[in-house]
Amino acid sequence: MTWRAYRTGLSLILLVLLVTAAISVFFGRYPRPGWLLPGRLRADPLAAQLVWNLRLPRVAAAVLVGAALSASGLTLQMLFRNPLVEPGFLGVSQGAAFGAAFSILYLSRSPLAIQASAAAFALLGLWLTYFLAGHLRYGGWILRMVLAGIAVSALFSAGVGMLKYLADPLTQLPEITFWLLGGLWSTRWQNFLPILPVSALALVVLFLARWRMNVLSLEEETAFSLGAAPGRERALLLLAAVGATAAVVSLAGTVGWVGLIVPHLARRFFGADARRALPASLLLGGLFVLLCDDLARTVTAGEVPLGILTSLFGAAAFLVILTRFGIK
Amino acid sequence: MTHHPILSLHNVWFTYPNGSRAVLQDISLEVRPGTVNAVLGPNGAGKSTLLHLILGLYPPQRGEIRVGGRPLTAHSRQHLSRQIALVPQREHIPFEFRVLEYVLLGRTPHLDFLQMPGPEDVRAARRALEQLGIADLADRRVSALSGGEHQLVLIARAVAQETPILLLDEPTAHLDLANQRRILTLLRGLAGQGKTVLFTTHDPDTALAVADECVLMRAGRILHQGPVADVLTTEKLTQTYETPLRVLPVDGTRVVLLDFAPQ
């Protein structure tokens, strides 16, 4: 793909994303399923309230969640030299799940409290993985991080199982289950804005370092011989990627498959070079989650958990890619 | 020749952080600019470790390495990566980079931390491909190349780095005869343009074909070193490889044969 074709393709996706976002704000189930005409905003205070305080933050959050998960997924895949890595695997997703369930049972059931607890345990999961990886006496750093990540995730997922067992089946259990399936139904400005600075900063770091990611995806000795300091630079990018993931997971719950499938699509369309694949992942990820969330809130009178839809479409796309083209 | 060495090691000792045995013992070596140098020895002699130390990947516990007359530790990481390029034994690339994108990575030492390669870097990468006669591979996927093409692309990446010193780890180890010849001719050519080449190999014929100077290593020690004609003899090679072999003169050059005659 030439750079010209890349710029055209990326501009096109950006345009589609902006148009979809604009449409999403006026599309929903109020006052009846379908369109809400912009003119109504002035006449109907409830409509204005709905658009400004519910749909707008929710659309923004969907785009941010998708962009962050996809960019982090691509980054971790390149740092770990493994195209099958997903952004929550270092104990972050299961840590967040445990934190949310813990808050629902023992702390508070307000969305902000659940989010804070999820974020805290996500970071604890990452720290535990990092700490344990340093103490494993086996393999190189990649293998150690992967093994520690698997172990920490399993510990937290056992903890989640225990909390579900202890939860009140009529009130707490459905709430835990719903959180675990992922979704943006509780998004308001007051729980979206706190994660915005952290994740935006992390995404800017990843965006700026996209050429460096290519270098760090080489073997250790080669990256070193090219003047990189693989250990330090990897730690920086890892922290940015996982920080962004922890932030959006704390808001949206476990939204599966986005961080795995979108980088594959981005590489499929725009090539493996992260100078192109990273911006493409950001936009495609935002678009993918936005579309899934539009479906999640409109197809039924209730709410379909977002994580179910992203997993459904993500896994389907993955199977199509695998059977038709092979991994890239 | 009275050139100062471009690269030298003085009584270097090295043990891996959790190893018990010294992998390199009292290594001293001087490499003159514009020469082809072969480090020869059986598997496990410490040849690759020697390259890693010259790169600065690990510091020696004792002794000193000097590059361009200055201690290795006096160079910044970036400056050192503009002096020495490495062609690793193999480079597994899990993503489908195009050849030009991969060779462009060789420009990294000439860029600042967050700087992207520009048109001048792309030109340098294309120059490297042309110099190696593989300009036609530029848009191919690295993962789809043959063994010989892959090795040429690895060397192109190091050539695009535009360093005076080129280190190669077993550059001909997995190649057929035609590709071995192509790579070795190339190394000779690079030295002809003033680059200093240092490569490891376990195959004495490879060293005989292109090297000016040769180092024989075994179990972390240098047994013999000097001009190829002096070092690659039946006696010294037999001692290095601890296996019966013979160096025979053929048509003005020499070949190494394993000696299967009953002892």
Side-chain angles (χ1 to χ4, degrees):
Chain A
M1 154 163 296
T2 62
W3 282 94
R4 192 192 188 84
Y6 158 73
R7 279 190 210 99
T8 312
L10 208 66
S11 311
L12 209 65
I13 297 175
L14 179 63
L15 189 70
V16 172
L17 177 62
L18 291 176
V19 170
T20 310
I23 291 175
S24 303
V25 172
F26 294 102
F27 190 74
R29 298 184 71 89
Y30 178 87
R32 63 193 69 81
W35 296 102
L36 190 160
L37 296 174
R40 202 185 162 106
L41 290 184
R42 255 172 289 152
D44 181 350
L46 191 60
Q49 178 81 353
L50 176 81
V51 165
W52 294 120
N53 292 335
L54 292 178
R55 285 194 195 157
L56 212 52
R58 184 163 178 167
V59 165
V63 174
L64 181 70
V65 167
L69 289 177
S70 307
S72 303
L74 181 86
T75 305
L76 293 195
Q77 287 171 9
M78 294 198 82
L79 293 183
F80 282 85
R81 299 166 46 76
N82 183 342
L84 295 177
V85 158
E86 67 94 35
F89 88 108
L90 292 175
V92 172
S93 291
Q94 293 306 323
F98 180 86
F102 187 78
S103 176
I104 290 168
L105 247 70
Y106 299 115
L107 300 175
S108 158
R109 288 159 67 185
S110 87
L112 211 55
I114 294 175
Q115 184 181 342
S117 173
F121 278 92
L123 294 177
L124 179 68
L126 173 67
W127 180 80
L128 266 179
T129 300
Y130 200 80
F131 175 78
L132 287 176
H135 284 74
L136 287 185
R137 296 170 168 278
Y138 182 68
W141 80 272
I142 288 183
L143 191 56
R144 291 207 304 267
M145 287 288 275
V146 171
L147 288 176
I150 290 173
V152 170
S153 295
L155 284 178
F156 276 123
S157 118
V160 171
M162 183 60 83
L163 291 176
K164 281 164 92 173
Y165 182 72
L166 294 173
D168 179 338
L170 292 180
T171 56
Q172 295 167 330
L173 189 56
E175 204 166 331
I176 294 177
T177 308
F178 211 59
W179 197 92
L180 291 180
L181 291 172
L184 291 168
W185 72 92
S186 66
T187 305
R188 308 286 183 274
W189 288 117
Q190 61 264 33
N191 53 5
F192 169 66
L193 289 178
I195 68 158
L196 185 60
V198 176
S199 31
L201 179 71
L203 292 186
V204 168
V205 169
L206 297 184
F207 181 79
L208 290 177
R210 59 200 191 279
W211 165 258
R212 212 66 184 176
M213 267 176 219
N214 289 338
V215 180
L216 294 174
S217 79
L218 300 175
E219 308 241 10
E220 185 93 5
E221 55 181 5
T222 313
F224 187 88
S225 76
L226 290 171
R232 250 182 322 173
E233 292 178 20
R234 217 185 272 128
L236 172 72
L237 295 190
L238 202 66
L239 194 68
V242 178
T245 303
V248 298
V249 167
S250 77
L251 177 70
T254 35
V255 180
W257 282 86
V258 177
L260 187 62
I261 190 66
V262 173
H264 278 269
L265 290 175
R267 280 195 292 265
R268 168 81 41 208
F269 295 143
F270 296 102
D273 190 332
R275 283 178 298 165
R276 298 196 293 246
L278 189 95
S281 289
L282 281 169
L283 296 183
L284 281 174
L287 182 61
F288 177 60
V289 173
L290 179 59
L291 287 172
C292 285
D293 190 54
D294 283 350
L295 284 179
R297 66 189 171 84
T298 53
V299 283
T300 68
E303 165 105 19
V304 183
L306 175 62
I308 293 181
L309 294 176
T310 56
S311 295
L312 180 68
F313 295 126
F318 190 70
L319 286 174
V320 169
I321 289 180
L322 267 186
T323 50
R324 298 281 298 278
F325 311 102
I327 288 191
K328 193 168 173 182
Chain B
M1 277 195 264
T2 55
H3 284 303
H4 290 296
I6 189 167
L7 171 70
S8 58
L9 287 81
H10 306 275
N11 309 105
V12 165
W13 289 73
F14 178 71
T15 308
Y16 278 103
N18 40 20
S20 52
R21 188 177 65 91
V23 185
L24 295 178
Q25 302 172 27
D26 204 22
I27 302 286
S28 293
L29 180 63
E30 292 199 339
V31 176
R32 283 178 292 111
T35 55
V36 177
N37 301 265
V39 179
L40 200 59
N43 299 328
K47 306 188 294 288
S48 298
T49 305
L50 181 66
L51 295 192
H52 288 163
L53 256 72
I54 295 172
L55 271 181
L57 199 53
Y58 310 106
Q61 276 87 20
R62 276 159 60 189
E64 190 186 49
I65 301 171
R66 298 175 82 90
V67 174
R70 288 165 58 203
L72 199 64
T73 44
H75 296 268
S76 73
R77 293 273 323 110
Q78 189 181 36
H79 186 253
L80 200 59
S81 64
R82 291 177 186 174
Q83 306 303 309
I84 306 178
L86 170 75
V87 178
Q89 193 165 352
R90 48 175 193 280
E91 168 90 59
H92 171 62
I93 301 158
F95 301 99
E96 300 214 331
F97 284 104
R98 305 278 167 173
V99 167
L100 184 64
E101 292 166 347
Y102 177 76
V103 172
L104 200 52
L105 285 167
R107 299 301 297 167
T108 305
H110 302 275
L111 303 169
D112 292 330
F113 181 55
L114 293 179
Q115 196 187 349
M116 306 271 167
E120 180 45 48
D121 297 300
V122 176
R123 276 195 288 277
R126 287 200 185 276
R127 267 203 307 277
L129 287 173
E130 270 160 32
Q131 192 179 345
L132 271 66
I134 50 171
D136 55 320
L137 296 184
D139 291 324
R140 295 265 300 278
R141 298 177 200 287
V142 177
S143 58
L145 300 176
S146 72
E149 290 169 336
H150 188 87
Q151 190 65 27
L152 284 166
V153 167
L154 293 191
I155 297 176
R157 203 251 306 125
V159 168
Q161 210 170 327
E162 293 182 341
T163 57
I165 303 173
L166 190 59
L167 306 180
L168 304 97
D169 198 0
E170 299 277 2
T172 55
H174 305 289
L175 299 182
D176 61 35
L177 291 175
N179 277 308
Q180 285 191 24
R181 183 194 176 86
R182 195 170 175 187
I183 300 286
L184 293 174
T185 310
L186 186 71
L187 294 186
R188 201 59 259 174
L190 289 171
Q193 294 161 22
K195 272 192 200 292
T196 307
V197 176
L198 177 75
F199 70 97
T200 66
T201 178
H202 56 257
D203 175 15
D205 284 322
T206 309
L208 272 168
V210 290
D212 303 304
E213 304 272 330
C214 189
V215 175
L216 295 186
M217 282 183 73
R218 177 171 190 89
R221 286 184 174 279
I222 292 182
L223 300 186
H224 303 281
Q225 63 188 113
V228 167
D230 301 344
V231 174
L232 295 185
T233 62
T234 299
E235 182 196 352
K236 289 173 179 169
L237 282 174
T238 304
Q239 185 198 1
T240 304
Y241 285 91
E242 287 188 350
T243 192
L245 50 75
R246 272 191 283 172
V247 179
L248 302 174
V250 175
D251 292 346
T253 177
R254 285 184 276 181
V255 293
V256 180
L257 291 179
L258 284 173
D259 189 348
F260 288 106
Q263 299 296 303

